[in-house]
Amino acid sequence: MYAFLSLQMNRTKGDEEEYWNSSKFKAFTFDDEDDELSQLKESKRAVNSLRDFVDDDDDDDLERVSWTGEPVGSISWSIKETAGNSGLAHEGREQLKSRNSFSSYAQLPKPTSTYSLSSFFRGRTRPGSFQSLSDALSDTPAKSYAPELGRPKGEYRDYSNDWSPSDTVRRLRKGKVCSLERFRSLQDKLQLLEEAVSMHDGNVITAVLIFLKRTLSKEILFRELEVRQIALRHLIHFLKEIGDQKLLLDLFRFLDRTEELALSHYREHLNIQDPDKRKEFLKTCIGLPFSAEDSAHIQDHYTLLERQIIIEANDRHLESAGQTEIFRKHPRKASILNMPLVTTLFYSCFYHYTEAEGTFSSPINLKKTFKIPDKQYVLTALAARAKLRAWNDVDALFTTKNWLGYTKKRAPIGFHRVVEILHKNNAPVQILQEYVNLVEDVDTKLNLATKFKCHDVVIDTYRDLKDRQQLLAYRSKVDKGSAEEEKIDALLSSSVSSYSLSLQQAQETNSSQNSTKCMFSRPGRIAVG
């Protein structure tokens, strides 16, 4: 029996050495050009071959014994095997609870007397037989002992540090991951910037500029960009987009662009919410080196905000007191602070239209102070007064007097626009007809009158044009039995009577003319005595 065990162990050891010495598999390396799938298959085949390299069909007839020398499969062996397995399981659970899992090999309990050498290397499990090597290892948390496969070599090229500036720019343009940290010298960074500019891709240029902004000092960055205008414009646009006013001011100061420096400084008022602080900031902007036109705008902005603060404080007090009728009927919906000039003018025409010119809130004062054109003033005042349905103020807005005292209506914006604004504010038909009649162009007048249903204007216009056919056609558009239909019928009947009378008069005139002509053209007879 012992001789058999020794022979079996020697045979197994020899087969094992022959396998490892003649193995065709090789270790994994990152330089391997095969794909990950083929490497995984080879690794699996290498592990699975452990089950078969000592597989010999002749061993099935051999007698197997345990470590105690008893034949495997006997009754006494089965009893001991069952007791040993239960004790082994209990001992394994206790060890797992008491130890930290640093290594999968440390968690394997020592076998007592249950494994035979042939079954251990075979990896077979028969009913009532031993556990195989794979079954024993499957009870532990770590189940894979093969080396972890790395990424294909092609993927590691994305993170390579050997790319040239041109290759790096091309990869950035394609949207691939590419680190710029390897470009450390100033020469390499500038070459990278030049490659990005030559690629004519704004996103790539901006990405390189962000890298240079982070890794270069301001002085060096500004000096190099001064001779690269395309990259400079991209940087200025980028700083404006992200709102880095401090660096933008430093850049303009370095480039000696005084006007752009002043405008950039002026834009900072947008970040100031407090009206008084914004007013003081605008006051400091007045002396900056703006152009003549921009300086006037800055001055107007400061003056407008100063007046808005005064008007807002006064109107808030009047509204809270509740003694002013206009504020009771039409409460304010928003503050006037930081509003544009046109909005401020509309507000003044709505709430302070009748105030004297000497007050800050007077519309006439605003018009003269800020030199508002007549068209803009009339358009804004008309919208405000029409919204309040103050038709007398609307009439006075277009009434002018000459030096002889005669009144005349005149509209700088054209009466066709006046009609549209009045209709938008639900003006009565009588008001609309009055201003439609003031439109000089006949076609425009007829279109507006038809659109806004000013029937009297349409009828009178066709009457003046003596267009009987249009009167007959328009008669079908008015209501049956209405005053407009009666007016059209009267015009049509009067036109028929007038036509008959004129025709009779024309006939009488023609007959008298023919009689006179015959009398003077007939030769006279002389009587002889």
Side-chain angles (χ1 to χ4, degrees):
M1 180 67 65
Y2 291 102
F4 168 74
L5 289 174
S6 176
L7 177 62
Q8 184 74 9
M9 292 178 63
N10 291 335
R11 179 184 177 183
T12 304
K13 184 175 180 181
D15 292 340
E16 181 181 0
E17 291 178 354
E18 180 182 357
Y19 165 76
W20 289 111
N21 291 333
S22 61
S23 176
K24 64 180 179 179
F25 301 103
K26 59 181 180 179
F28 172 79
T29 59
F30 286 99
D31 296 331
D32 192 359
E33 295 296 334
D34 295 335
D35 57 358
E36 185 176 351
L37 182 60
S38 62
Q39 292 178 359
L40 181 60
K41 290 181 179 179
E42 291 182 4
S43 299
K44 287 184 177 179
R45 286 197 296 268
V47 175
N48 293 333
S49 63
L50 289 173
R51 296 182 178 182
D52 301 328
F53 77 99
V54 293
D55 194 3
D56 192 357
D57 294 338
D58 296 337
D59 293 342
D60 294 339
D61 299 333
L62 297 177
E63 183 182 9
R64 295 181 176 83
V65 296
S66 65
W67 290 101
T68 59
E70 297 179 357
V72 175
S74 63
I75 298 176
S76 60
W77 175 85
S78 301
I79 296 174
K80 292 181 180 181
E81 182 70 14
T82 304
N85 287 339
S86 62
L88 178 63
H90 178 72
E91 182 181 358
R93 286 194 298 268
E94 293 296 326
Q95 289 179 357
L96 288 176
K97 291 181 181 179
S98 60
R99 297 181 181 180
N100 292 328
S101 178
F102 291 104
S103 168
S104 61
Y105 300 102
Q107 296 178 2
L108 289 173
K110 293 182 178 180
T112 55
S113 61
T114 59
Y115 299 109
S116 67
L117 293 178
S118 61
S119 63
F120 184 85
F121 285 103
R122 276 180 200 272
R124 293 182 179 179
T125 55
R126 294 179 179 176
S129 183
F130 309 108
Q131 287 180 321
S132 65
L133 177 61
S134 59
D135 294 335
L137 295 180
S138 64
D139 293 335
T140 61
K143 297 183 180 180
S144 176
Y145 293 91
E148 182 180 358
L149 298 178
R151 295 184 178 182
K153 190 174 181 180
E155 294 187 9
Y156 284 90
R157 293 174 183 174
D158 289 344
Y159 307 98
S160 175
N161 292 329
D162 298 333
W163 297 106
S164 64
S166 59
D167 294 336
T168 302
V169 169
R170 281 195 295 269
R171 294 182 62 81
L172 286 175
R173 188 179 184 182
K174 295 178 180 179
K176 294 186 178 181
V177 178
C178 190
S179 176
L180 304 180
E181 300 299 331
R182 65 172 299 271
F183 300 100
R184 297 184 178 182
S185 66
L186 179 61
Q187 182 180 0
D188 291 342
K189 293 177 181 179
L190 295 180
Q191 186 179 359
L192 181 66
L193 179 61
E194 291 174 356
E195 292 289 342
V197 172
S198 64
M199 195 67 66
H200 303 289
D201 192 316
N203 294 331
V204 177
I205 296 174
T206 303
V208 174
L209 287 174
I210 293 174
F211 170 67
L212 297 183
K213 172 178 172 291
R214 182 169 53 86
T215 57
L216 294 178
S217 63
K218 293 190 298 184
E219 292 76 10
I220 297 177
L221 179 63
F222 295 165
R223 184 189 66 207
E224 298 298 335
L225 292 181
E226 188 177 9
V227 295
R228 296 170 174 86
Q229 292 299 315
I230 297 178
L232 178 63
R233 288 195 297 269
H234 278 78
L235 180 62
I236 292 175
H237 180 75
F238 173 72
L239 294 178
K240 289 179 180 179
E241 288 293 326
I242 65 174
D244 193 348
Q245 293 292 331
K246 185 177 183 300
L247 186 60
L248 190 61
L249 290 175
D250 294 339
L251 177 59
F252 286 145
R253 193 176 291 110
F254 176 85
L255 299 174
D256 197 23
R257 297 185 181 182
T258 57
E259 186 174 349
E260 295 185 18
L261 175 64
L263 288 174
S264 179
H265 179 72
Y266 169 71
R267 291 191 188 97
E268 293 185 8
H269 82 276
L270 299 173
N271 301 323
I272 304 175
Q273 301 299 328
D274 184 75
D276 293 322
K277 293 182 179 179
R278 179 178 287 193
K279 184 187 73 172
E280 295 301 324
F281 179 82
L282 291 175
K283 189 176 182 179
T284 62
C285 295
I286 295 177
L288 295 179
F290 293 101
S291 62
E293 184 179 1
D294 291 338
S295 297
H297 289 317
I298 301 299
Q299 181 65 50
D300 289 342
H301 190 178
Y302 170 76
T303 306
L304 178 62
L305 182 58
E306 185 180 28
R307 293 204 175 193
Q308 287 175 346
I309 293 174
I310 298 174
I311 296 173
E312 176 66 22
N314 183 51
D315 289 356
R316 188 185 298 115
H317 174 71
L318 294 176
E319 187 177 18
S320 61
Q323 298 179 357
T324 307
E325 182 180 2
I326 184 66
F327 288 109
R328 290 200 308 268
K329 291 183 177 180
H330 305 279
R332 300 189 309 157
K333 297 181 180 180
S335 172
I336 194 63
L337 295 175
N338 299 321
M339 292 296 176
L341 177 59
V342 176
T343 307
T344 306
L345 178 61
F346 181 89
Y347 179 90
S348 297
C349 292
F350 194 91
Y351 289 105
H352 305 282
Y353 189 72
T354 59
E355 290 187 5
E357 184 179 342
T359 60
F360 286 144
S361 56
S362 170
I364 301 298
N365 192 312
L366 289 174
K367 177 185 177 183
K368 292 184 177 180
T369 301
F370 297 101
K371 299 178 181 179
I372 301 175
D374 290 340
K375 290 185 178 180
Q376 184 66 62
Y377 176 80
V378 170
L379 190 63
T380 307
L382 173 63
R385 303 318 294 174
K387 191 175 184 64
L388 289 172
R389 303 181 68 83
W391 309 122
N392 292 331
D393 294 338
V394 172
D395 185 72
L397 188 63
F398 301 107
T399 303
T400 59
K401 292 183 179 181
N402 57 13
W403 61 279
L404 295 175
Y406 295 104
T407 59
K408 183 181 180 180
K409 291 189 180 296
R410 186 179 64 88
I413 60 176
F415 283 107
H416 63 284
R417 297 192 64 185
V418 174
V419 173
E420 293 175 353
I421 295 174
L422 292 177
H423 179 265
K424 184 178 180 180
N425 289 275
N426 301 319
V429 179
Q430 294 79 8
I431 302 295
L432 287 177
Q433 290 184 154
E434 179 182 356
Y435 287 97
V436 170
N437 275 321
L438 295 175
V439 177
E440 296 181 358
D441 185 72
V442 177
D443 294 334
T444 305
K445 180 192 294 186
L446 287 173
N447 291 333
L448 291 174
T450 305
K451 179 180 178 181
F452 302 134
K453 296 182 180 181
C454 299
H455 301 302
D456 290 340
V457 177
V458 177
I459 295 171
D460 294 340
T461 304
Y462 286 145
R463 180 199 62 192
D464 296 338
L465 293 175
K466 297 180 180 180
D467 195 336
R468 181 181 177 86
Q469 297 299 326
Q470 291 294 339
L471 278 174
L472 288 173
Y474 194 74
R475 185 178 182 276
S476 61
K477 298 180 181 179
V478 300
D479 298 334
K480 297 294 184 180
S482 61
E484 289 80 9
E485 187 181 30
E486 294 178 358
K487 184 176 182 180
I488 293 175
D489 292 339
L491 287 174
L492 291 175
S493 61
S494 64
S495 63
V496 172
S497 301
S498 300
Y499 178 75
S500 301
L501 181 60
S502 60
L503 182 59
Q504 183 179 0
Q505 291 177 355
Q507 291 177 353
E508 293 177 355
T509 303
N510 291 333
S511 61
S512 62
Q513 290 179 354
N514 291 333
S515 301
T516 306
K517 183 177 181 181
C518 291
M519 182 180 61
F520 284 98
S521 62
R522 184 180 302 172
R525 295 181 179 179
I526 303 175
V528 179

